[in-house]
Amino acid sequence: QVQLVESGGALAQPGGSLRLSCEGSGSDFRLYAMGWYRRVAGKERELVAVISNRFGAKYENFVSGRFAISKDDSKNTVYLQMDNLEPEDTAVYYCNGPLIRDSGGDYYPLYDHWGPGTQVTVSS
């Protein structure tokens, strides 16, 4: 069973930056794609970014070059650097993995398990 723990969420001002971390156990991050998701209040959870050693990084359109996903396989940790934050980025952020990539290049969680998430609030 994969265990994932997110951290790094905080209150940030518009235009500010945050770096989220996700530390995992029970799985080897080198072997799988890992992703960051978010749930805005009142909406469905949505994918933000994915990273895999084979296919690199992939971002949803709303990221618009503001976020960067990375991972340190030696630490089994995935990061999400978020710059130029907007109030619309306010959400609970979750990581998940392993992710499965389909023939169309879309990713889906292999397991429907989620960590507690970390709250990001962007407000002046």
Side-chain angles (χ1 to χ4, degrees):
Q1 182 73 24
V2 178
Q3 302 292 329
L4 302 168
V5 180
E6 305 91 346
S7 63
L11 172 64
Q13 292 191 341
S17 298
L18 287 173
R19 188 192 195 204
L20 308 183
S21 299
C22 171
E23 185 172 356
S25 61
S27 179
D28 189 340
F29 281 22
R30 291 172 298 179
L31 302 178
Y32 305 109
M34 299 295 298
W36 281 97
Y37 292 75
R38 71 183 188 184
R39 175 175 282 165
V40 176
K43 296 186 177 181
E44 295 291 319
R45 185 157 32 207
E46 62 183 349
L47 181 64
V48 176
V50 175
I51 187 167
S52 74
N53 288 343
R54 182 176 180 184
F55 295 105
K58 180 180 179 181
Y59 302 91
E60 293 301 293
N61 290 339
F62 62 79
V63 170
S64 300
R66 301 178 297 124
F67 298 172
I69 188 171
S70 61
K71 65 189 181 86
D72 186 335
D73 291 336
S74 67
K75 297 180 180 179
N76 246 24
T77 300
V78 182
Y79 304 98
L80 185 68
Q81 176 66 41
M82 304 190 296
D83 299 319
N84 196 18
L85 284 163
E86 303 171 351
E88 293 74 20
D89 296 318
T90 296
V92 179
Y93 284 72
Y94 305 86
C95 68
N96 199 306
L99 304 183
I100 301 300
R101 185 178 186 267
D102 68 14
S103 59
D106 293 325
Y107 288 89
Y108 303 91
L110 180 61
Y111 304 112
D112 186 23
H113 67 83
W114 299 90
T118 186
Q119 175 71 48
V120 171
T121 302
V122 184
S123 175
S124 56

